[in-house]
Amino acid sequence: MPDPKLKYPTYEALAQAFATGELDMNKYVLVLDNDCCTLDYRGDDMDEDEAYEHCARLFHGNGYADFGDAVRAAGIPCEWC
C-alpha cells in the first residue's frame, strides 16, 4: 500500500518525477534491495544525514515485492507466474 506521506508514494509517481526532470538523474538513484528500495542522493549540497532524511521523505519501496509495480510504471505490461 503506497504511503501517502511520501512525496512519491508509487513507482509511477517516482518515474514521472524523473521523466519530467523534477528529480535530477545525476543526483538521485534508486537503490534496489531484496527488502526495500530507497532513493540515494548523490549531490554535494547536503551532508549524508541530511540527504538520508530528505530521501526518506520522497520515496520508499518494498524491495523485490514491488518489481511488478516498477515494471508497470515503466510502461511494460507484466504479470507474476
Side-chain angles (χ1 to χ4, degrees):
M1 178 63 104
D3 185 345
K5 294 180 287 189
L6 298 174
K7 184 166 184 179
Y8 310 109
T10 64
Y11 285 93
E12 184 175 14
L14 185 64
Q16 193 169 26
F18 278 112
T20 63
E22 187 174 338
L23 287 178
D24 184 340
M25 289 185 180
N26 295 312
K27 292 186 177 183
Y28 293 91
V29 64
L30 182 63
V31 178
L32 307 174
D33 197 351
N34 63 340
D35 61 349
C36 69
C37 297
T38 58
L39 280 179
D40 192 26
Y41 184 74
R42 305 285 170 90
D44 58 5
D45 56 332
M46 284 189 243
D47 68 35
E48 188 175 328
D49 291 335
E50 284 178 300
Y52 177 83
E53 292 298 322
H54 169 70
C55 289
R57 291 187 300 272
L58 297 178
F59 179 82
H60 184 86
N62 293 313
Y64 296 151
D66 287 347
F67 187 71
D69 292 339
V71 170
R72 283 187 288 279
I76 303 167
C78 71
E79 62 184 36
W80 292 103
C81 62

